[in-house]
Amino acid sequence: MLSSKTEPRQVSWVVPSREEAVGYVRHRTVAEIRAWGIELAESFEVELVVTELVTNAVSHAGGQVVGVGIQVAEAGSVVIRVSDSHPGFFGRRVLREPGEHGRGLVMLRQLARCWWWEPLSEGKVVCALVEVSGC
């Protein structure tokens, strides 16, 4: 992948805006959290949240790269940040059966303690606070 920056209990990457980046970020996120000494009894929540955020950035943003940041926020939680070059946020969609879109944010609301998005000078960052154990 393109680049990375590591600080104590904080890491960030810039990855190509391609589907193959999703798996890389998912596996690297779990590995970094475990390297910080945080025991993830079940990593699926972190994996699902980072997968959803990076997939949305790759699928909808249309940029060349996606930024990803992970850091310990407080005891028992990490913040996952994913930035892209698209200036707006797609917001809530009405779920329709059958359909491929609109379920990711529903899942994000279920798995994250909270989530939010912030505009950047060029694009936006979507963030999620996820519970983990052993921070």
Side-chain angles (χ1 to χ4, degrees), residues 84-88 117-125:
D84 62 57
S85 61
H86 191 278
W117 75 280
E118 301 168 357
L120 300 173
S121 59
E122 293 184 27
K124 67 178 169 308
V125 60

Side-chain angles (χ1 to χ4, degrees), residues 9 13 19 31 34 37 43 50 57-58 65 72-73 91 94 99 102 120 123:
R9 301 188 106 179
W13 309 283
E19 286 183 27
R34 286 185 172 142
S43 62
V50 78
V58 168
V65 296
V72 174
V94 175
L120 300 173

Side-chain angles (χ1 to χ4, degrees), residues 35-57:
W36 296 333
I38 299 170
E39 191 58 41
L40 292 171
E42 296 188 32
S43 62
F44 73 92
E45 289 181 3
V46 169
E47 291 177 293
L48 286 172
V49 168
V50 78
T51 296
E52 178 60 27
L53 295 179
V54 175
T55 298
N56 281 347

Side-chain angles (χ1 to χ4, degrees), residues 43-112:
S43 62
F44 73 92
E45 289 181 3
V46 169
E47 291 177 293
L48 286 172
V49 168
V50 78
T51 296
E52 178 60 27
L53 295 179
V54 175
T55 298
N56 281 347
V58 168
S59 299
H60 302 295
Q64 297 295 311
V65 296
V66 171
V68 180
I70 312 296
Q71 76 180 79
V72 174
E74 55 189 54
S77 63
V78 295
V79 174
I80 301 168
R81 292 181 172 85
V82 177
S83 60
D84 62 57
S85 61
H86 191 278
F89 186 70
F90 294 99
R92 295 181 179 149
R93 295 184 180 188
V94 175
L95 297 179
R96 291 191 173 94
E97 294 291 337
E100 295 182 18
H101 302 288
R103 286 163 180 74
L105 293 179
V106 171
M107 180 181 67
L108 188 59
R109 285 191 294 276
Q110 295 295 316
L111 295 174

